[in-house]
């Protein structure tokens, strides 16, 4: 990944520029606490950049859906 793209991802993660898409309203599984959390998460260039409130170019409402992160051994 080139430096320019990394800087763009960091700026989006810090909230300095909008993320590509914000997924809101879903219950997200937290593998560390083994609990479901109602939280929004932002994605830019295919990477999850953070959870919580973010500005985004597009918003996708996932109300009533469950999201499980890809688990890696």
């Amino acid at each position: 990944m080139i430096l320019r793209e990394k800087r763009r991802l960091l700026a989006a993660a810090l909230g300095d520029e909008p993320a590509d898409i914000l997924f809101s309203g879903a219950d997200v599984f937290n593998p560390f606490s083994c609990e479901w959390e109602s939280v929004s998460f932002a994605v830019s260039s295919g990477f999850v950049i953070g959870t919580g409130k973010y500005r985004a170019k597009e918003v996708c409402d996932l109300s009533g859906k469950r999201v499980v992160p890809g688990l890696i051994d």
Side-chain angles (χ1 to χ4, degrees):
M1 181 180 298
I2 60 174
L3 187 57
R4 185 179 323 151
E5 180 64 17
K6 286 183 180 181
R7 285 186 177 147
R8 192 179 80 74
L9 287 173
L10 182 59
L14 293 171
D16 294 338
E17 68 176 59
D20 292 337
I21 187 166
L22 178 70
F23 294 95
S24 64
D27 290 327
V28 178
F29 183 71
N30 181 334
F32 300 107
S33 66
C34 294
E35 296 177 340
W36 292 96
E37 299 176 3
S38 224
V39 65
S40 297
F41 60 96
V43 174
S44 282
S45 298
F47 293 96
V48 176
I49 58 168
T51 60
K53 293 183 179 183
Y54 278 90
R55 292 180 300 124
K57 298 172 187 172
E58 182 180 348
V59 177
C60 181
D61 182 20
L62 296 178
S63 293
K65 307 291 186 212
R66 289 189 159 186
V67 176
V68 178
L71 306 174
I72 301 171
D73 334 339

